[in-house]
Amino acid sequence: APTGAVPDGFRASASAKGRPSRSCSASTGATGCTITGLASKVAYAVSVVAWSDPAGPSTPVVVSNVRPR
């Protein structure tokens, strides 16, 4: 969502070389979601995009080298 806009929700996605991408979504009022099916000790890039209507999606925030335990 654009700066200052209240998001209607967000989507988080995780990807790693040679692994299927996984994601989760949440709607208004949620403070998180759980990405399931990730492999232990594999480095993932996780991106989060918020959206609001009618503004549309935000610029993705990406964190690299996330490793589930």
Side-chain angles (χ1 to χ4, degrees):
T3 302
V6 176
D8 293 321
F10 63 90
R11 182 172 186 83
S13 302
S15 60
K17 185 176 180 178
R19 303 281 179 163
S21 294
R22 304 286 184 178
S23 63
C24 65
S25 297
S27 57
T28 304
T31 58
C33 65
T34 301
I35 302 173
T36 60
L38 301 179
S40 175
K41 299 180 183 177
V42 172
Y44 288 87
V46 177
S47 66
V48 178
V49 175
W51 70 86
S52 63
D53 188 34
S58 67
T59 301
V61 174
V62 179
V63 178
S64 297
N65 205 25
V66 175
R67 295 176 185 266
R69 294 180 185 190

